[in-house]
């Protein structure tokens, strides 16, 4: 989910911090366009790969390409997410409901699986970061993105389950869930963006990712919740 919003901000900040970043996105041209916002050698550290995380073959192909070109994955940031404007009980909305779960839940799990296998194969104590949401802690009373909260509650459970599996496997791989409040991005319905509710910027979340990645090996941030000042949730 590196083509816009939070994902784009994270990709830029990681590159500026010296990392080699592969931005997976359906709109690879937008990831390529991010290079114009980078200086000097940073441009050469950002790479785009076309990937629809709702499709397993796209994920497998992307991770194979990364292994061939770069050797493997040390850090994974699962940022791809959608919020389709439909209710749970609306008629003929099956495709929209499936898209939410396929991208927000299954895409996250499959990318995490492939990243873990890459880290394990090379004995890398890496880090998996899930960009979740405050909606994974409290159901948002908003009439048309009702499955979104369910998908983010699932991410909370998946994060804890993943942490248990990593510990059982005897690894020192970290997993962190970051749950922002309302962020000004294109995933948010216009009515919410136009409201007077306090909002975060995408760069605020990118800074949180840098923070969790910068912690010493003995420290694991389990859950990081970020709210704009004045938010009621």
């Amino acid at each position: 989910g590196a083509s816009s919003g939070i994902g784009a901000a994270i990709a830029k900040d990681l590159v500026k911090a010296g990392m080699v970043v592969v931005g997976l996105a359906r709109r690879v041209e937008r990831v390529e366009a991010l290079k114009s916002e980078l200086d000097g050698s940073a441009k050469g550290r950002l790479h785009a790969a076309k990937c629809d995380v709702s499709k397993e073959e796209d994920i497998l192909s992307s991770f194979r390409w990364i292994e061939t070109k770069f050797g493997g994955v040390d850090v994974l940031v699962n940022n791809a997410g959608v919020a389709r404007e439909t209710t749970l009980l609306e008629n003929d909305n099956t495709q929209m409901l499936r898209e939410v779960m396929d991208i927000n839940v299954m895409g996250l799990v499959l990318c995490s699986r492939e990243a873990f296998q890459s880290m394990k194969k090379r004995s890398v104590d890496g880090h998996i970061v899930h960009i979740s949401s405050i909606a994974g802690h409290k159901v948002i009373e908003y009439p048309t993105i009702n499955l979104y909260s369910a998908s983010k509650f699932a991410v909370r459970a998946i994060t804890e389950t993943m942490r248990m599996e990593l510990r059982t496997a005897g690894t020192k791989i970290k997993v962190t869930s970051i749950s922002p409040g309302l962020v000004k991005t294109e995933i948010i319905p216009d009515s919410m963006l136009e409201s007077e509710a306090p909002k975060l910027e995408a760069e605020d979340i990118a800074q949180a990712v840098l923070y969790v990645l910068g912690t010493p090996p003995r420290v694991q941030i389990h859950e990081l919740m970020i709210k704009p000042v004045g938010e009621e949730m």
Side-chain angles (χ1 to χ4, degrees):
S3 62
S4 65
I6 294 172
I10 292 170
K12 288 189 291 184
D13 276 4
L14 292 181
V15 166
K16 290 174 184 177
M19 293 185 70
V20 174
V21 175
V22 176
L24 302 183
R26 287 177 292 184
R27 300 171 295 185
V28 288
E29 68 281 356
R30 295 182 66 168
V31 179
E32 291 289 351
L34 293 177
K35 293 182 180 181
S36 65
E37 302 174 29
L38 299 170
D39 298 324
S41 63
K43 295 179 186 289
R45 291 196 297 271
L46 178 60
H47 306 267
K50 188 173 180 61
C51 179
D52 180 347
V53 298
S54 69
K55 300 176 180 177
E56 183 177 13
E57 184 47 47
D58 273 20
I59 294 172
L60 298 178
S61 176
S62 294
F63 276 84
R64 286 194 297 264
W65 178 79
I66 291 169
E67 181 177 16
T68 299
K69 189 170 180 64
F70 301 104
V73 176
D74 299 335
V75 171
L76 170 69
V77 180
N78 281 310
N79 174 70
V82 295
R84 296 290 184 246
E85 292 199 57
T86 183
T87 68
L88 297 181
L89 306 179
E90 186 176 327
N91 193 31
D92 296 328
N93 64 348
T94 304
Q95 183 59 34
M96 286 189 286
L97 296 177
R98 287 191 189 280
E99 286 176 357
V100 172
M101 299 308 287
D102 284 347
I103 294 172
N104 296 9
V105 179
M106 286 306 299
L108 176 144
V109 170
L110 296 180
C111 285
S112 298
R113 180 191 69 191
E114 296 306 306
F116 166 71
Q117 293 298 329
S118 176
M119 295 172 194
K120 180 182 176 183
K121 181 178 179 180
R122 297 171 297 119
S123 299
V124 169
D125 296 333
H127 203 142
I128 298 171
V129 180
H130 304 316
I131 305 300
S132 187
S133 170
I134 198 76
H137 297 260
K138 180 179 180 180
V139 175
I140 297 175
E141 191 172 355
Y142 189 82
T144 59
I145 57 169
N146 292 349
L147 197 61
Y148 181 77
S149 281
S151 72
K152 294 304 182 180
F153 268 84
V155 171
R156 280 181 65 196
I158 288 165
T159 303
E160 289 306 311
T161 303
M162 201 171 288
R163 186 173 295 116
M164 293 174 189
E165 291 189 8
L166 291 169
R167 185 180 65 240
T168 300
T171 79
K172 294 183 179 179
I173 297 170
K174 300 180 183 183
V175 59
T176 299
S177 178
I178 297 178
S179 295
L182 188 60
V183 184
K184 288 190 277 188
T185 65
E186 62 185 39
I187 190 178
I188 304 300
D190 290 342
S191 57
M192 293 180 75
L193 284 177
E194 294 165 1
S195 72
E196 296 183 1
K199 301 173 188 68
L200 297 163
E201 299 287 347
E203 291 74 17
D204 300 328
I205 317 309
Q207 287 298 304
V209 172
L210 289 179
Y211 167 67
V212 301
L213 293 178
T215 54
R218 67 180 180 277
V219 175
Q220 176 167 250
I221 307 298
H222 284 215
E223 174 77 38
L224 189 60
M225 191 181 298
I226 309 170
K227 297 182 180 182
V229 172
E231 182 176 291
E232 294 181 359
M233 283 189 67

